[in-house]
C-alpha cells in the first residue's frame, strides 16, 4: 500500500467506498459495479476508464488494484521528492499520469496510438454532427502534430513531448480528503 | 424602436411632472388630508351637477406608485434596447443609475425639490424583500452549504474588519485634521464604517450577472453579501445605541451586550427564517385541492418572515434568506408543476422590477441639493479606505482559509472577490435612516455613501470586465493550443469527472452523510407530500427501468431489422419509443416533472474534494450569457473540434441568474453520450448473446446444471461468488448470477467452442447492470437531472409495470427465470439505495 502514497485515513475512506460499490461483497469489483454508477453512462470516456481499472484480461479488481489506479490521481506534492529515491517513481508522477491517459487511447497496448485508435477516441468525444471524413482529417492533423518519427502513430515519448506544456499535474488530480 | 421608447419615457415623466404642481407633498401625504380635501370639494360644488370631475386626490397615491413602476419598466426597456456597444461596456445597473440622474433632473427641474426620493421604509419594506427572496429561492444549496464556512468567515469577520478599519482610519485622519472641521466623534465614525462596510447583494448580482465567474467564486461573494446583513444590522444598531448613550457610558458590559446581540440577532433571524420555511412546506403539503393559489403562499410567507424578523429587531434579510433556502426543495416537490413555474416566473419578475426601481431611484435621489455636503477629505478618504481595506481583508482571510480548505482559492479569484465588493442601496438606506439630531453630519454621510455606491456600481462595474480580461489573458497560455492538446485537455476533463464519480463523494465527512440520511428519513417525511417522496424514490427505479427499456427496445428494434448493424439508426429507434409509450405517462409525468424541476433547480452534486482548476481560466467574460470560447481559430480542424467536443462537467456556469433560470444547455450532448454508451454496452452484451442464441437450449441446460452444481457447493475460479449467489438466490444478486452464467459457459467449456467467448475478449460479456432491475441503481442528483428527463424523452419511460417488467422481450426470455423473481423487489431495495445514492 505504500506505493500508492495514500495516508491511513484516506485508505480507510477509500475502502469504505470500495465496499459500498461492491454489491457482490466478494472483496472485488466487477465491471457491473462500475457501470452502476450512473454518471459514467453520460461520460464519453466512461467505459474506457472503467476498463482502466481492470488489469489485463481480468474481470475483477480488488481493493489494491482499485487504489493503485486511483493513486494516479493524487496531487503531486513537493515533499515527495525527499522520499526514498530507490522506491521508483511514485504512481502520481507526471509520467505515470500521462501513461494512464496514454493507455486509455491505446487499447491494444502496443505502445502506439494508431490512427484508428485515435479515431475511436475522437468519435467518442465528439458529437454526431461531424462526418467521418472530417473526423478523419482531424485525426490526421492531430497525428501530424505529434508524430516526429513519421510512423503515422503516436508513441508514448511523442505523446509526452507534445504535452509538455500542459499542466498535467493539475489536470489529473483529485484532492482526497486528508 | 429605441426612439419610440424614449418618447414614451419622456412622456411618462412629463406626465408626472405635470401632476406635481397639484400635489402638496410627495408620496407621504396623509390619507386624512385627502379625505378632508374630498369633503371640501363636495361641499363646494353644489351649484350644478358636474358631469366629469378631475379627481386627482382620490387616486393620487396609487397612481404615483404605478406611474413610477411604469417609468421604471420603461427605463429598463430602454436600457436593454440600447446599442450593444454601450451595454457591453456599462453594466445595466450603472446605466439605470445614470438614467435616474436624468429623470431626477427632470423632476427637479419641474419642482425645484426632489419629491421622489428613495425613502428607507419604501426601500426596506417594499423593494428589498423580493430581491432577497428571489436570491435565496434560486440559491444553489449544495454549493452554498459546502462553502458555508468560507462564506461565514467573509461575512462575519470580513464585515467587522471592514467596518472597524474604515471607521478607525477615518477617525485617525479626522484627528490628524485632514477633514477640516466636523462635528463628529469616534463612535460616529464607527457607525459610518459599519454602514458602509456591507457588500450589497443587489449590486453584486447585477454586476456578476454580466461577468461570468466560476461557481465557487460566485457563491462566495454572493453568499457573503447575503449573510453579512446579520453583522451589519447588529453593528449598526449597536453603534447607533452607543452614539445615543454617549461615550462615557460605554463600558465592558455594554460591549459584551453588543457581541451577545450579534449572536441573538443573527441566529434568531436565521432560526425564524427556518421556522417560516417549515410552515411554508407544511402549507404546500396541504394545498393539493387548491393549486391555483398555492404559488402565492411562497411570497406571502416569505414576506411574513421578513417583517416578523424586522418586528423582533432580528436580522430580516437573514430570515428571508433562510426561509427561501430551506423551503425550496420541499416546496418544489410538493407543489403542482404549474405552480412551480408560476412561482419561478413571478419571483424573477418581482426581483427584476425591484432591482430596476432601486437603481433608478438611487440615481434620482442624487439630484437633490439638500443632501449634498461636500467634504473632499472625508469623501476621498472613504473611497480609498473602502477599496483598500476590502482588498487587504479579502487576501488576509483567504490566506487563512486556504490553510483549511480542500481546494484553495486562487489569486485571480481573490482579486475578483475584492474588486467585487460592491456597495449598494442597503448602505444608502441605512445612511438615510440615521437620526439627524444624534448625528449632525448625516448629510455628509449620505453624500459620501451615495458617492461610494456610484463609484462601486458604475466605475467598478465598468472596469470589472476589462480587469478580468486582462488577468485572464495573463493567466492563459500564450501560444495557441495544438489540436492534440485541446483534445487531451478535454479528455482529461472527462477522465477526471469519471474518476470523481467513481470515487463518489469521498470527501464528504460524516456530518454531511449523516445529515443527508437524517434529512431523507425524517424531514422529508414531515415536509414533503408522501406522493412527492414516493416519486423521488420512484425516480430511482425509473432510472434503471429507463435503461432497461431503452436497452430492450433498442435491441428488439435491431432484432426486427435482423441484424446488429443498427448503430446509426438511433433516430428510428427513438421514433419507435415515442410511438410505443404514447400517452401512458399522463399521471406519471407531472409528478416527475416536479421532481425534475426540483433537481433542475441546481441542487447540484458538488463534491468539495473534487474541485479542480478549470481548464479554461476560472474567470471569463461572457456577454449575454453565451458560452464563447476565446480561441477560435480559422483552421477548420480546430474550429470543428472546438465546436463539437462534448463539454465536460466543469464547464457549467453557476446556476443563479437574475433574468433566466434555464438549466444547462447540453441536454442533447448528454442524450447522445448516454445513447452511445448504452449502445456500446449493449452491443458488447449482445455480442456475447450472439453466441448464446444458437445455443439457447444449452443455456437452459446449463442453468439447471449450474443451479444443481451450485447447490452442491461447486467451486471453481469464481466459486465463492456462486456460493454467495445461491445463498441469496432470491436476493439482489440475480444479475450477477446471470453474468456468471455467461462467463461460466465458456469457462466450463459448454461443449460449444465459440470464439466469442474466449476469455481474452476485450469487451466484457456480462449482462449490463441495467438488466439487474433489483440493483440499487440510485443516480446522484446530477445524473438524474442530466439524464433524459425532458418531456419528449419522458415518453420513453415505461409505466410502473413493476410486476411485468418487459417480459415481452427476447432478452427477458432468457433471463426471465431469475429476473422475474426480483420484480417485486424494487421497493424493498429502496433502503439499499441510499448509501449508493450519496
Amino acid at each position: 500500500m505504500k506505493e500508492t502514497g495514500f495516508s491511513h485515513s484516506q485508505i480507510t475512506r477509500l475502502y469504505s467506498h470500495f465496499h459500498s460499490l461492491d454489491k457482490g461483497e466478494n472483496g472485488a469489483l466487477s465491471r457491473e459495479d462500475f457501470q452502476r454508477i450512473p454518471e459514467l453512462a453520460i461520460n464519453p470516456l466512461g467505459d474506457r476508464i472503467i476498463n482502466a481499472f481492470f488489469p489485463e484480461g481480468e474481470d475483477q479488481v480488488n481493493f489494491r488494484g482499485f487504489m493503485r489506479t486511483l493513486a494516479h490521481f493524487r496531487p503531486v506534492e513537493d515533499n515527495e521528492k525527499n522520499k526514498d529515491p530507490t522506491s521508483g517513481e511514485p504512481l502520481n508522477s507526471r509520467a505515470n499520469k500521462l501513461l494512464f491517459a496514454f493507455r486509455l487511447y491505446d487499447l491494444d497496448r502496443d505502445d502506439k496510438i494508431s490512427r484508428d485508435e485515435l479515431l475511436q477516441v475522437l468519435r467518442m468525444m465528439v458529437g454526431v454532427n461531424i462526418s467521418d471524413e472530417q473526423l478523419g482529417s482531424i485525426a490526421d492533423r492531430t497525428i501530424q502534430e505529434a508524430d516526429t518519427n513519421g510512423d503515422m502513430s503516436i508513441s508514448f515519448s511523442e505523446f509526452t513531448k507534445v504535452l509538455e506544456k500542459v499542466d498535467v499535474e493539475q489536470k489529473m488530480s483529485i484532492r482526497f480528503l486528508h | 424602436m429605441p426612439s419610440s421608447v424614449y418618447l414614451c419615457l419622456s412622456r411618462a415623466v412629463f406626465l408626472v411632472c405635470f401632476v406635481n404642481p397639484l400635489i402638496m407633498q410627495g408620496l407621504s401625504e396623509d390619507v386624512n388630508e385627502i379625505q378632508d380635501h374630498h369633503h371640501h370639494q363636495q361641499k363646494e360644488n353644489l351649484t350644478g351637477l358636474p358631469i366629469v370631475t378631475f379627481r386627482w386626490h382620490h387616486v393620487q397615491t396609487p397612481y404615483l406608485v404605478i406611474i413610477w413602476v411604469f417609468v421604471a419598466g420603461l427605463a429598463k426597456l430602454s436600457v436593454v434596447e440600447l446599442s450593444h456597444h454601450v451595454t457591453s461596456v456599462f453594466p445595466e445597473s450603472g446605466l439605470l443609475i445614470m438614467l435616474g440622474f436624468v429623470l431626477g433632473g427632470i423632476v427637479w427641474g419641474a419642482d425645484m425639490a426632489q419629491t421622489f426620493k428613495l425613502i428607507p421604509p419604501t426601500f426596506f419594506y417594499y423593494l428589498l424583500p423580493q430581491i432577497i427572496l428571489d436570491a435565496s429561492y434560486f440559491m444553489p444549496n449544495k454549493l452554498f452549504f459546502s462553502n458555508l464556512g468560507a462564506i461565514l468567515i467573509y461575512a462575519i469577520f470580513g464585515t467587522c474588519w471592514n467596518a472597524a478599519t474604515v471607521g478607525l482610519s477615518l477617525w485617525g485622519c479626522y484627528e490628524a485634521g485632514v477633514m477640516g472641521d466636523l462635528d463628529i466623534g469616534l463612535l460616529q465614525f464607527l457607525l459610518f464604517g459599519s454602514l458602509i462596510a456591507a457588500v450589497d447583494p443587489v449590486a453584486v448580482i447585477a454586476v456578476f450577472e454580466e461577468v461570468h465567474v466560476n461557481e465557487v467564486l460566485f457563491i462566495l461573494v454572493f453568499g457573503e453579501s447575503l449573510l453579512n446583513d446579520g453583522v451589519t444590522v447588529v453593528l449598526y444598531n449597536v453603534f447607533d445605541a452607543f452614539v445615543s448613550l454617549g461615550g462615557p457610558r460605554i463600558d465592558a458590559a455594554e460591549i459584551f451586550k453588543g457581541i451577545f446581540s450579534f449572536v441573538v440577532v443573527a441566529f434568531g433571524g436565521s432560526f425564524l427564517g427556518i421556522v417560516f420555511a417549515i410552515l411554508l412546506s407544511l402549507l404546500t403539503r396541504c394545498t393539493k385541492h387548491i393549486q391555483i393559489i398555492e404559488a402565492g403562499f411562497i411570497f406571502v410567507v416569505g414576506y411574513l418572515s421578513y417583517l416578523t424578523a424586522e418586528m423582533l429587531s432580528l436580522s430580516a434579510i437573514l430570515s428571508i434568506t433562510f426561509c427561501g433556502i430551506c423551503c425550496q426543495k420541499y416546496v418544489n416537490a410538493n407543489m403542482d408543476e404549474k405552480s412551480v413555474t408560476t412561482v419561478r416566473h413571478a419571483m424573477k419578475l418581482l426581483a427584476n422590477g425591484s432591482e430596476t426601481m432601486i437603481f433608478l431611484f438611487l440615481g434620482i435621489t442624487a439630484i437633490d441639493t439638500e443632501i449634498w455636503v461636500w467634504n473632499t477629505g472625508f469623501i476621498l478618504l472613504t473611497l480609498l479606505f473602502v477599496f483598500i481595506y476590502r482588498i487587504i481583508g479579502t487576501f488576509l482571510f483567504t490566506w487563512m482559509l486556504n490553510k483549511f480548505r480542500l481546494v484553495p482559492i486562487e489569486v485571480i479569484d481573490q482579486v475578483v472577490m475584492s474588486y467585487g465588493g460592491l456597495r449598494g442601496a442597503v448602505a444608502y438606506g441605512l445612511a438615510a435612516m440615521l437620526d439627524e439630531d444624534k448625528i449632525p453630519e448625516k448629510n455628509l454621510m449620505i453624500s459620501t455613501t451615495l458617492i461610494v455606491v456610484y463609484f462601486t456600481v458604475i466605475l467598478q462595474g465598468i472596469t470589472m470586465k476589462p480587469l478580468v480580461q486582462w488577468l485572464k489573458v495573463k493567466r492563459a497560455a500564450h501560444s495557441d493550443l495544438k489540436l492534440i492538446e485541446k483534445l487531451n485537455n478535454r479528455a482529461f476533463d472527462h477522465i477526471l469527472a469519471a474518476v470523481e464519480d467513481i470515487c463518489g463523494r469521498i470527501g464528504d465527512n460524516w456530518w454531511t452523510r449523516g445529515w443527508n440520511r437524517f434529512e431523507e428519513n425524517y424531514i422529508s417525511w414531515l415536509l414533503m407530500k408522501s406522493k412527492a417522496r414516493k416519486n423521488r424514490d420512484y425516480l430511482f427505479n425509473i432510472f434503471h427501468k429507463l435503461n432497461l427499456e431503452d436497452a430492450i427496445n433498442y435491441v428488439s428494434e435491431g432484432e426486427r431489422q435482423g441484424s446488429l448493424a443498427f448503430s446509426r439508426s438511433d433516430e428510428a429507434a427513438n421514433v419507435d419509443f415515442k410511438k410505443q409509450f404514447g400517452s401512458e405517462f399522463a399521471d406519471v409525468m407531472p409528478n416527475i416533472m416536479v421532481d425534475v424541476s426540483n433537481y433542475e433547480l441546481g441542487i447540484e452534486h458538488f463534491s468539495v474534494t473534487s474541485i479542480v482548476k478549470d481548464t479554461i481560466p476560472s474567470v471569463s467574460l461572457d456577454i449575454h450569457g453565451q458560452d464563447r470560447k476565446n480561441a477560435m481559430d480559422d483552421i477548420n480542424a480546430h474550429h470543428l473540434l472546438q465546436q463539437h467536443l462534448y463539454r465536460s462537467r466543469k464547464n457549467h456556469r453557476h446556476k443563479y441568474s437574475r433574468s433566466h433560470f434555464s438549466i444547462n444547455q447540453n441536454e442533447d450532448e448528454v442524450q447522445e453520450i448516454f445513447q452511445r454508451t448504452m449502445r456500446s454496452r449493449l452491443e458488447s452484451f449482445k455480442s456475447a448473446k450472439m453466441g448464446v442464441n444458437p445455443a439457447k437450449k444449452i443455456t437452459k441446460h446449463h442453468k439447471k446444471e449450474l443451479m444443481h452444481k451450485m447447490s452442491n457447493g461447486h467451486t471453481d475460479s469464481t466459486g465463492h461468488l456462486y456460493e454467495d449467489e445461491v445463498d441469496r438466490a432470491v436476493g439482489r444478486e440475480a444479475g450477477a448470477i446471470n453474468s456468471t452464467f455467461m462467463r461460466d459457459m465458456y469457462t466450463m467449456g459448454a461443449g460449444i467452442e465459440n470464439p466469442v467467448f474466449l476469455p481474452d475478449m476485450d469487451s466484457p460479456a456480462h449482462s449490463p447492470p441495467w438488466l439487474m432491475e433489483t440493483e440499487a441503481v440510485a443516480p446522484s442528483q446530477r445524473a438524474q437531472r442530466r439524464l433524459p428527463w425532458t418531456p419528449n424523452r419522458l415518453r420513453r419511460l415505461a409505466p410502473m409495470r413493476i410486476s411485468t417488467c418487459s417480459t415481452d422481450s427476447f432478452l427477458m426470455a432468457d433471463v426471465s427465470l431469475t429476473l422475474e423473481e426480483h420484480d417485486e423487489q424494487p421497493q424493498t431495495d429502496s433502503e439499499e439505495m441510499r448509501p449508493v445514492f450519496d
Side-chain angles (χ1 to χ4, degrees), chain A:
Chain A
M1 295 301 185
K2 214 173 129 216
E3 59 185 356
T4 60
F6 283 125
S7 73
H8 186 70
S9 55
Q10 286 173 332
I11 294 179
T12 323
R13 286 270 170 88
L14 284 174
Y15 185 73
S16 74
H17 189 68
F18 177 84
H19 196 67
S20 70
L21 279 178
D22 180 19
K23 290 298 163 192
E25 302 209 0
N26 53 351
L29 293 177
S30 61
R31 284 201 171 77
E32 292 94 62
D33 293 319
F34 283 105
Q35 284 171 344
R36 213 172 284 125
I37 302 173
E39 287 92 344
L40 290 183
I42 55 175
N43 189 312
L45 298 178
D47 283 347
R48 291 231 172 172
I49 292 165
I50 294 177
N51 276 333
F53 276 87
F54 293 86
E56 286 279 345
E58 287 182 28
D59 291 320
Q60 299 271 315
V61 57
N62 58 11
F63 181 60
R64 192 197 178 94
F66 183 71
M67 276 210 333
R68 268 189 67 95
T69 317
L70 286 182
H72 288 286
F73 292 90
R74 263 184 59 235
V76 178
E77 289 148 35
D78 288 329
N79 56 4
E80 290 204 31
K81 290 181 198 148
N82 304 337
K83 295 256 167 81
D84 182 10
T86 61
S87 62
E89 219 172 336
L91 279 171
N92 62 338
S93 69
R94 183 195 167 89
N96 274 324
K97 287 185 200 276
L98 281 173
L99 191 59
F100 184 84
F102 188 79
R103 292 235 172 95
L104 280 183
Y105 299 134
D106 180 24
L107 283 182
D108 54 4
R109 301 286 170 98
D110 60 354
D111 281 331
K112 278 208 275 267
I113 304 177
S114 68
R115 185 177 181 274
D116 283 330
E117 287 169 341
L118 189 60
L119 261 180
Q120 274 186 29
V121 175
L122 272 173
R123 179 48 79 188
M124 283 170 77
M125 286 182 43
V126 147
V128 296
N129 293 324
I130 296 196
S131 69
D132 281 340
E133 309 89 59
Q134 289 172 320
L135 212 59
S137 71
I138 294 180
D140 287 328
R141 290 187 88 92
T142 313
I143 293 186
Q144 261 179 4
E145 284 170 355
D147 196 16
T148 49
N149 62 356
D151 59 352
M152 295 310 286
S153 65
I154 308 178
S155 70
F156 182 58
S157 53
E158 288 165 354
F159 188 73
T160 317
K161 179 143 196 336
V162 84
L163 290 183
E164 61 190 358
K165 286 203 221 104
V166 172
D167 189 3
V168 174
E169 287 91 336
Q170 247 193 19
K171 288 200 197 308
M172 294 244 307
S173 296
I174 301 179
R175 287 225 168 200
F176 296 95
L177 192 62
H178 304 299

Side-chain angles (χ1 to χ4, degrees), chain B residues 159-202:
Chain B
T159 314
C160 287
W161 160 267
N162 278 337
T165 50
V166 169
L168 288 173
S169 315
L170 281 176
W171 179 68
C173 292
Y174 171 69
E175 293 292 319
V178 179
M179 295 180 201
D181 215 7
L182 291 175
D183 182 10
I184 203 167
L186 167 65
L187 284 172
Q188 297 182 24
F189 272 118
L190 285 174
L191 177 60
F192 179 69
S194 70
L195 70 87
I196 203 82
V199 175
D200 187 72
V202 180

Side-chain angles (χ1 to χ4, degrees), chain B residues 535-571:
Chain B
N535 280 334
R536 193 191 52 181
D537 293 339
Y538 177 69
L539 269 176
F540 300 164
N541 292 337
I542 280 297
F543 170 67
H544 54 87
K545 289 227 189 319
L546 168 74
N547 295 348
L548 180 56
E549 286 299 328
D550 256 351
I552 302 309
N553 287 291
Y554 198 80
V555 176
S556 59
E557 179 67 26
E559 286 288 305
R560 254 176 288 166
Q561 292 180 6
S563 72
L564 254 186
F566 53 111
S567 49
R568 294 215 180 267
S569 66
D570 42 351
E571 291 87 27

Side-chain angles (χ1 to χ4, degrees), chain B residues 333-392:
Chain B
N334 285 342
M335 288 203 300
D336 183 44
E337 77 179 88
K338 294 199 204 95
S339 303
V340 173
T341 317
T342 310
V343 167
R344 282 197 250 173
H345 281 289
M347 284 245 195
K348 290 294 179 195
L349 167 69
L350 286 175
N352 254 308
S354 292
E355 182 191 315
T356 311
M357 290 193 69
I358 289 179
F359 283 118
L360 201 62
F361 272 99
L362 269 180
I364 293 178
T365 334
I367 314 296
D368 185 359
T369 50
E370 287 176 23
I371 59 168
W372 284 101
V373 177
W374 186 267
N375 182 321
T376 321
F378 191 84
I379 294 180
L380 287 179
L381 283 172
T382 309
L383 278 175
L384 183 70
F385 289 139
V386 158
F387 191 63
I388 291 185
Y389 285 119
R390 170 79 186 165
I391 297 180
I392 297 179

